[in-house]
Amino acid sequence: MAKSRPPSILLTWLGARTRRLRLGTAVIVLPWHNAGASGGAGRDPRSPIRRAGSIFGIGKGYRYNEFAGFCVPMEEADARFDECLDVILKAWTADEPFSHQGKYWRFDSIVVEPPPAQRPHPQIWMGAGSERSIRRVAAQGSTCLLGQYASLRDVAWNIAVYKSEVEAHGRCFDPMQVGVTRAFFDCPTIWPRERRRWTAACKNRMRQLKLATRPDGTVHGGPDRATGDPRAVNEASAMYGNPDDIARKLEELREAGVGYVLLNGGGSGGGGRGRESLRRFAREVMPVLRRADEHRLNPIKIEVYCVRQHGVAQAVAASP
């Protein structure tokens, strides 16, 4: 079992060197973390030259072996998540030292400094895959981050669930309140090397399913995590191909009700090939989307949120 290094280190470095780039996490699994320390890790960069805010993306986790590795029972995930988030919100909004006496964490007269630049706190995104989790996120008024492998049919259903719960609480639904993540690589031709990388992506999908599988063979989480041939799931969800292929898949997402797409990486493990993939996307795909958006009431927003290499976040980029 292995996880990437604390994202707060990279975000602090990036925050000191960028102005318009919106930084964030997707996601920090709260049940594994010390509640008081997480409040500090999730604060936004306070550089006076920065113009963009930040996102605190969180989740409760779903992979059995990762919980086992941290010696945290999965049955405690919901309760730990709720208590940890409660402490984090106190740490962000309290004007004086506060105490907390909970089931899993206890603190006496603590304060997290400096306070967040965004008031009352950074925007909170919550990962969700099941109907119960999606309704919970909607009820709390947070932005929902759907799973990377969900099919178009499941994405449309999940958005409808979120929308109905938002409206049930007397609020207006905004498509930008639901983010849909997709693996991404823009290449004009599928070269043999890219085919090998595609095969590696399928193997990684198998590894993720293995991590999520309990001893009794069941998988905790949404249907995209539990069932389906890994290759078929990847081919149905990932945006992998030439600019026309990617534009077509983005249009399919738009037709399913998606307004906010997060592209995971640039493909091929980042590096030079990943950066060139992003440049092709900006040159050849974004203009097509902008032209289409001029005649639509529901423009789609695209962000590239993370490029990873060897388990460590390597770069972050965004396209409006």
Side-chain angles (χ1 to χ4, degrees):
M1 184 194 73
K3 300 302 292 181
S4 60
R5 294 177 177 86
S8 57
I9 298 174
L10 175 64
L11 294 178
T12 300
W13 186 87
L14 289 170
R17 289 162 174 79
T18 61
R19 297 188 182 189
R20 295 178 296 173
L21 199 65
R22 184 162 59 155
L23 306 176
T25 58
V27 296
I28 294 175
V29 181
L30 289 190
W32 303 342
H33 293 271
N34 180 286
S38 296
R43 66 176 179 265
D44 48 355
R46 293 187 62 84
S47 170
I49 66 171
R50 285 192 54 79
R51 302 174 186 173
S54 62
I55 295 171
F56 187 52
I58 53 177
K60 66 179 181 180
Y62 70 94
R63 295 174 181 170
Y64 171 82
N65 283 353
E66 292 175 345
F67 276 85
F70 285 109
C71 299
V72 175
M74 289 194 71
E75 294 73 19
E76 297 178 1
D78 283 336
R80 284 179 175 269
F81 178 91
D82 290 341
E83 185 176 338
C84 189
L85 180 57
D86 181 57
V87 172
I88 290 171
L89 292 176
K90 288 180 181 177
W92 281 345
T93 58
D95 295 326
E96 56 187 23
F98 70 94
S99 298
H100 173 83
Q101 302 297 321
K103 182 177 181 180
Y104 302 105
W105 293 281
R106 296 182 179 182
F107 305 101
D108 290 322
S109 298
I110 66 169
V111 62
V112 175
E113 294 180 329
Q118 293 170 260
R119 306 304 294 175
H121 53 70
Q123 183 181 1
I124 296 176
W125 286 30
M126 294 187 184
S130 66
E131 179 177 345
R132 175 175 171 270
S133 296
I134 293 169
R135 291 191 181 279
R136 188 165 176 245
V137 174
Q140 293 176 342
S142 297
T143 298
C144 183
L145 183 61
L146 298 179
Q148 177 170 309
Y149 300 105
S151 67
L152 276 173
R153 184 180 64 178
D154 288 334
V155 166
W157 167 253
N158 292 338
I159 292 175
V161 168
Y162 183 92
K163 181 176 183 290
S164 67
E165 191 69 22
V166 166
E167 293 175 344
H169 284 76
R171 302 192 303 270
C172 293
F173 169 72
D174 180 355
M176 295 300 176
Q177 293 175 315
V178 181
V180 177
T181 305
R182 283 294 185 258
F184 158 76
F185 185 51
D186 183 338
C187 57
T189 306
I190 304 296
W191 301 295
R193 181 174 181 179
E194 269 57 59
R195 292 188 184 278
R196 290 197 297 271
R197 293 188 183 280
W198 181 248
T199 300
C202 292
K203 290 181 178 179
N204 184 55
R205 163 74 174 157
M206 289 293 292
R207 181 187 65 83
Q208 292 175 355
L209 284 176
K210 186 176 180 181
L211 284 173
T213 304
R214 297 170 182 250
D216 62 3
T218 61
V219 178
H220 177 77
D224 58 299
R225 298 166 180 160
T227 60
D229 173 69
R231 179 173 291 275
V233 169
N234 275 335
E235 289 178 351
S237 62
M239 293 194 293
Y240 191 95
N242 61 43
D244 290 337
D245 294 330
I246 293 174
R248 174 179 53 80
K249 290 195 173 186
L250 284 170
E251 184 60 31
E252 291 173 350
L253 287 173
R254 190 206 304 266
E255 292 176 356
V258 176
Y260 204 136
V261 180
L262 294 94
L263 301 181
N264 184 4
S268 295
R273 299 180 71 83
R275 289 191 292 272
E276 181 55 33
S277 168
L278 293 177
R279 293 188 182 105
R280 280 194 298 269
F281 182 86
R283 288 194 309 265
E284 303 176 31
V285 180
M286 290 302 295
V288 175
L289 295 177
R290 290 193 183 99
R291 287 194 295 270
D293 286 343
E294 291 176 357
H295 308 287
R296 294 179 182 270
L297 297 177
N298 58 333
I300 193 167
K301 182 172 183 178
I302 309 293
E303 288 194 357
V304 180
Y305 78 93
C306 185
V307 178
R308 287 192 172 192
Q309 187 171 14
H310 307 306
V312 181
Q314 181 191 16
V316 183
S319 295

